[in-house]
Amino acid sequence: MSTTTGPAAGSPSTAVFVPPHARDDQVRMHHAHAAAARMFKVTRTGPDVWGWQGRTLGRRAGQWWLRLVCAPEDKLNRRLWEGPATAHHALPPTVPRPRLHDVFEWSAHGHAYRAELSEYVPLPALQTGGPVLTTDPDLPPTWWADLRLDLEATSTVLTDRQAVRQQWVNKNLTRFLGILAFQISAWTTGHGDLHWANLTGAPLVILDWEMWGQLPVGFDAGLLYAYSLTRPVTAARVRQEFAHVLDTPAGRAGELVALAQLLQVAARGGHPGLAPHLAHHAEHLTGTPVPVP
């Protein structure tokens, strides 16, 4: 997860877009990012922007955004790795996103690196430091209409990429929601990581497409709603704008899968301030207490 907006903000207890814990890893990522800049022959002009737990590092480079992704060679997830590039080629041009210009990959000392040179978006994301909303954004009705239209346009894309798998649902719904797993009956193509750090204000741009693919109907809207639960006014607005999806049986199923995924993150120590809100909302939807991790 990453943004093209500026340094991570938020308190240490909530920020998850942070440098790697180990100083050596920070130095290694900085060196690799500098090497990518030399490869693309660009000059870095902006501050560091770290992604999820230091997995990515981005900086402005003039008219470009230079993003570096790193993973251990033996744990490389090609689906995530290639997400921005496949989205660049597959999504309709009407869906607002940073256009990918060039890609370069290499490996060194057990680590794989992927550098992506994309269009720079001169708009701040609606949230920094992490995906959980901390301040209610003032968004015009046109912004919400654009988001609905862009997600509808994304849903028309045919792809064999899977952002959510039925196997994950089968394995984890009981564990994190306390309910029997169910078969997903309605699938669509979606963003897969729809949260406030991946959205700009007006004019809307949708960032970070590494997780896009097939997912349950209602998953994207349910995820955005869940990340809004600490801000009831915005959460109610999300619910209102996507009622046509979330208030259907298929949409409710997708929302439950989104909640289960976030409860999995919470069980690993992520988003501690959001966790009780997730549990309360899940219990409201299912009538079943969420299992204690």
Side-chain angles (χ1 to χ4, degrees):
M1 304 178 191
S2 65
T3 73
T4 60
T5 60
S11 69
S13 64
T14 59
V16 293
F17 297 160
V18 293
H21 177 71
R23 177 64 180 171
D24 288 348
D25 287 332
Q26 294 181 35
V27 172
R28 176 178 53 78
M29 288 288 284
H30 277 124
H31 286 171
H33 196 277
R38 292 192 296 271
M39 173 62 62
F40 290 133
K41 298 180 179 179
V42 297
T43 300
R44 298 174 297 165
T45 56
D48 292 344
V49 178
W50 292 96
W52 180 267
Q53 298 179 344
R55 191 179 68 86
T56 69
L57 173 60
R59 284 184 66 180
R60 183 179 179 179
Q63 65 177 319
W64 307 108
W65 181 257
L66 178 55
R67 176 179 183 260
L68 177 75
V69 190
C70 178
E73 281 188 282
D74 60 347
K75 296 181 180 179
L76 181 60
N77 184 327
R78 295 301 304 187
R79 181 181 65 84
L80 293 179
W81 201 250
E82 298 170 355
T86 56
H88 173 76
H89 294 292
L91 292 176
T94 56
V95 176
R97 63 195 187 279
R99 296 307 195 266
L100 185 64
H101 177 68
D102 204 354
V103 174
F104 180 69
E105 294 186 12
W106 75 98
S107 296
H109 308 295
H111 289 91
Y113 299 92
R114 180 181 176 96
E116 298 166 342
L117 194 66
S118 302
E119 170 189 13
Y120 174 70
V121 177
L123 297 167
L126 290 167
Q127 180 65 44
T128 56
V132 181
L133 191 65
T134 59
T135 303
D136 291 306
D138 183 15
L139 299 168
T142 53
W143 186 94
W144 293 100
D146 288 344
L147 180 60
R148 291 195 306 270
L149 288 173
D150 294 334
L151 294 179
E152 289 171 9
T154 301
S155 73
T156 66
V157 176
L158 300 178
T159 181
D160 58 2
R161 284 176 55 88
Q162 288 184 288
V164 177
R165 297 177 182 273
Q166 180 66 51
Q167 296 95 312
W168 189 94
V169 176
N170 295 344
K171 180 180 178 182
N172 291 293
L173 237 60
T174 301
R175 179 182 176 191
F176 294 108
L177 294 182
I179 63 175
L180 293 177
F182 48 74
Q183 196 74 19
I184 300 299
S185 61
W187 297 84
T188 189
T189 301
H191 182 273
D193 197 21
L194 197 68
H195 58 66
W196 298 101
N198 282 336
L199 299 169
T200 73
L204 170 65
V205 179
I206 305 176
L207 308 170
D208 194 357
W209 288 84
E210 69 176 5
M211 296 181 68
W212 79 281
Q214 285 283 295
L215 43 73
V217 167
F219 181 91
D220 273 346
L223 198 65
L224 188 63
Y225 178 78
Y227 276 124
S228 312
L229 285 171
T230 55
R231 306 299 302 182
V233 171
T234 300
R237 184 62 184 269
V238 174
R239 201 88 203 168
Q240 172 188 334
E241 296 291 342
F242 291 96
H244 64 290
V245 176
L246 295 176
D247 291 349
T248 66
R252 180 63 56 88
E255 182 179 9
L256 288 174
V257 175
L259 283 168
Q261 286 203 358
L262 287 185
L263 284 166
Q264 181 181 53
V265 174
R268 296 169 176 168
H271 312 318
L274 183 64
H277 298 275
L278 296 172
H280 177 77
H281 183 55
E283 292 176 13
H284 169 72
L285 292 181
T286 66
T288 301
V290 168
V292 177

